[in-house]
Amino acid sequence: MPGLRVVGWGTAVPEKVVTNRDLEATIDTSDEWIFERTGIRERHVGGTTASLGTEAGRKALDQAGLTGADIDLLLLATTTADKIVPGTSPTIQHNLGIAGGAVDLNAACSGFVYGLVIANGLFASGAKRILLVGAETLSTITDWDDRGTAILFGDGAGALVLERTDDEGDLLSWDLGSDGSLTDLLYCNHGEKMQMDGKEVFRRAVRVVVDSATTVLEKAKINVDDLSLIVPHQANIRIIQAACQRLNIPEEKAAIVIDRFGNTSSASIPLALVDAIENDRVHGGDTLLLTGFGAGMTWASAVLRWPH
Ligand code: COA
């Protein structure tokens, strides 16, 4: 069965930077506390989900040497669509001149990996090229007076251009999960701001990441020693450290951008992946573990081989 290959990538973040020091002026917190407890130093804030998604998508197309006319589907992972209706993907589709369809998908912070797996299935049933975008403006649903959440979130976008292969492709294994009994741990009602039980999310997150990552490594028959890079969802550096420790993956093998971007939900995995590519940490034939978790709760992991 045909599968997928990554042929382009791009990211976008708004210009405005909000540092921990900036937050000290408005909430009872400190740069030291935030950095020590989360690994975050600053986050970017601003723009719209459509504008950030368009910019990341355009860079990914340029990088692949393609235009919107070459794409038959836009998949947008987001929890912060600009409007309730319509979805944000048609705006990005229009901005980029994409020839095919466009759809939003919301699996919270697991959305980008969900999108990757869905794309893989669509290649098996005839799609030729898919633009997968993760874009978020979490600042619009963050309560900036709540120190339990305001310190964590940021805005941004990342995109991959995916192409159908004649062979089985580079998505070696995947695992998708959901437990809707845990909806109350992290949610945002229409017209309101995000609510979160941080401690419980933390505890559950480590558990689901370890289980899901173990599942995909076993399915792909990959030993942790043969793993080139883990690209985890960037929610809290201590979650990443705890998961790496339990998985016996040296922390040096983790792609980390949380210090600069905070938690950008669907955008965090592509932001971390593209940062690793740009810093020459990803090479042809490498085996990457992408793993995310988020509200729902949902979780999603995939083993991806990097093309030569
Ligand atoms: N600044 C300063 N102090 C703070 C603070 C802040 N922003 N937030 C909490 N504190 C204080 C608390 O009041 C508490 O003080 P006390 O010991 O005097 O009672 C102390 O710091 C510890 O608070 P606690 O809530 O136990 O902190 P924590 O270590 O659990 O960190 C989070 C809080 C939110 C950073 C952490 O729980 C977390 O990251 N959870 C996961 C959230 C997540 O990943 N969400 C997204 C999922 S996709």
Side-chain angles (χ1 to χ4, degrees):
M1 257 204 292
L4 65 77
R5 184 142 301 149
V6 177
V7 297
W9 49 87
T11 60
V13 289
E15 251 174 56
K16 184 178 174 191
V17 174
V18 175
T19 65
N20 292 347
R21 294 255 179 250
D22 293 331
L23 294 178
E24 285 176 1
T26 51
I27 47 178
D28 181 14
T29 192
S30 66
D31 177 44
E32 293 72 26
W33 192 94
I34 301 172
F35 185 67
E36 194 183 302
R37 306 306 292 165
T38 70
I40 300 169
R41 284 277 189 216
E42 59 189 34
R43 68 289 289 143
H44 290 247
V45 169
T48 62
T49 297
S51 66
L52 294 169
T54 299
E55 189 183 335
R58 185 169 284 130
K59 286 183 187 163
L61 287 171
D62 287 350
Q63 209 272 333
L66 299 169
T67 71
D70 300 309
I71 300 293
D72 43 17
L73 181 68
L74 168 67
L75 282 178
L76 171 67
T78 188
T79 45
T80 45
D82 292 324
K83 294 182 169 68
I84 294 174
V85 174
T88 300
S89 52
T91 305
I92 300 177
Q93 170 267 316
H94 176 70
N95 291 345
L96 296 176
I98 287 173
V103 66
D104 290 23
L105 70 96
N106 180 349
C109 305
S110 318
F112 197 81
V113 179
Y114 260 82
L116 193 67
V117 175
I118 291 169
N120 196 57
L122 289 165
F123 287 123
S125 60
K128 290 197 178 70
R129 285 200 197 96
I130 295 176
L131 179 63
L132 173 62
V133 179
E136 301 282 2
T137 43
L138 292 171
S139 62
T140 60
I141 58 165
T142 299
D143 177 354
W144 289 100
D145 295 326
D146 172 16
R147 70 175 184 171
T149 50
I151 58 165
L152 295 176
F153 299 104
D155 301 336
L160 294 179
V161 180
L162 307 171
E163 205 165 70
R164 185 175 64 193
T165 58
D166 294 328
D167 53 29
E168 77 285 357
D170 290 338
L171 189 77
L172 304 185
S173 64
W174 54 268
D175 174 59
L176 302 179
S178 173
D179 181 352
S181 71
L182 302 173
T183 301
D184 288 347
L185 294 187
L186 176 52
Y187 65 92
C188 179
N189 291 325
H190 286 306
E192 296 179 6
K193 305 292 182 193
M194 260 185 292
Q195 304 289 328
M196 182 179 75
D197 178 348
K199 262 197 187 324
E200 193 57 18
V201 171
F202 192 115
R203 212 170 60 81
R204 300 265 181 183
V206 176
R207 200 187 299 165
V208 295
V209 164
V210 171
D211 287 352
S212 183
T214 303
T215 301
V216 287
L217 290 172
E218 280 173 9
K219 276 189 185 173
K221 300 188 174 59
I222 301 283
N223 190 296
V224 281
D225 299 334
D226 299 327
L227 202 61
S228 315
L229 191 74
I230 172 172
V231 188
H233 171 47
Q234 314 278 308
N236 186 318
I237 191 76
R238 291 185 297 130
I239 294 177
I240 296 172
Q241 287 165 339
C244 283
Q245 198 182 20
R246 285 170 177 71
L247 289 163
N248 285 321
I249 298 173
E251 216 185 302
E252 304 80 66
K253 280 193 182 178
I256 307 286
V257 293
I258 191 170
D259 51 328
R260 285 174 282 151
F261 302 131
N263 179 347
T264 55
S265 193
S266 305
S268 89
I269 287 179
L271 278 169
L273 174 61
V274 174
D275 182 79
I277 296 167
E278 289 174 348
N279 284 294
D280 202 25
R281 295 184 68 193
V282 183
H283 306 104
D286 279 0
T287 311
L288 316 183
L289 168 62
L290 276 48
T291 182
F293 62 91
M297 275 188 88
T298 58
W299 55 93
S301 301
V303 175
L304 183 66
R305 188 171 46 207
W306 201 249
H308 283 282

